Amino acid sequence: TVGRLVGAEERALALVGELQAVINRVRAEGAALPRKPRVYFEEWDEPPISGIRWVSEMIAIAGGEDIFADKAREQSAKERIVADPLEIVRRAPDIIVGSWCGKHFRPERVAARAGWEHVPAVAGGRIHEIKSAVILNPGPVAIREGLPALAALFRAWAEGV
C-alpha cells in the first residue's frame, strides 16, 4: 500500500517477496530442527522485561519456543516485566537472547544472577546478544538480520555446536 501511494509499487512488491522468502526459508529450517530450544528473550535487565510480540513470533518461526509467549501479547513493556526473576529460572530456557534497548547486553551479568547457575542456557554457555537495532524494530531489518540470527543460534544449539 505504501509503495503504491508513493509510486514505487514494483519495488515494494519486490521487497515483500524478498522478506517473505527469508521468512519461508527460516520457517522451513526451524521446522527441520531435531529439537526446539526453550528461549528467554530479554529486552531489559532491571527489571527484567521479556520480548515483544514480533520477537516472540520470530522465535517461533525460527523453530524455538518463547518461554514468555504469554506475556508477548502485551504491547507495553511495563506489562512484560517479569516480577519474579526466578520465574525465568523455573521456565528453564535453553537459550537466553539479550537485546537491552539503549545499552550493551552483558551476558556475564545474566549468568551471575542469584539462582541462575542451573538454568540450562547459563550452564551451557548459551547466552547471546542480538543488537536491538537488528531485532527490536519491526520491519525489514528484523526479518533480514534478526530472524536469521535467531535461526543460527537455534541451529547451533540443536546441533550441539
Side-chain angles (χ1 to χ4, degrees):
T1 300
V2 173
R4 196 173 313 120
L5 290 172
V6 298
E9 186 172 5
E10 277 186 45
R11 287 180 51 207
L13 290 172
L15 175 61
V16 168
E18 172 199 335
L19 298 175
Q20 190 61 58
V22 172
I23 292 168
N24 292 344
R25 178 182 53 79
V26 171
R27 181 177 280 125
E29 290 171 2
L33 291 176
R35 55 192 182 133
K36 287 181 175 275
R38 295 176 45 76
V39 181
Y40 170 53
F41 186 93
E42 187 171 272
E43 274 188 37
W44 195 249
D45 61 331
E46 294 178 7
I49 298 175
S50 62
I52 197 161
R53 185 180 199 144
W54 67 81
V55 172
S56 184
E57 291 170 352
M58 288 194 302
I59 288 169
I61 289 167
E65 177 189 338
D66 178 3
I67 66 166
F68 285 109
D70 55 321
K71 287 184 169 289
R73 291 181 219 103
E74 304 295 341
Q75 215 171 8
S76 164
K78 184 178 176 183
E79 295 173 297
R80 289 181 283 109
I81 290 173
V82 181
D84 177 7
L86 291 179
E87 181 60 26
I88 300 161
V89 173
R90 287 187 287 277
R91 295 190 187 199
D94 299 304
I95 296 172
I96 296 171
V97 178
S99 188
W100 296 344
C101 192
K103 68 179 179 178
H104 182 66
F105 178 68
R106 304 286 304 272
E108 70 280 2
R109 285 183 44 199
V110 173
R113 292 175 183 168
W116 285 48
E117 61 275 0
H118 298 296
V119 171
V122 174
R126 301 282 184 180
I127 306 172
H128 307 279
E129 177 181 27
I130 297 178
K131 302 280 186 200
S132 59
V134 171
I135 199 162
L136 288 179
N137 294 311
V141 173
I143 295 170
R144 281 183 180 143
E145 298 178 35
L147 184 57
L150 286 171
L153 294 175
F154 300 173
R155 188 172 46 256
W157 174 84
E159 294 171 355
V161 178

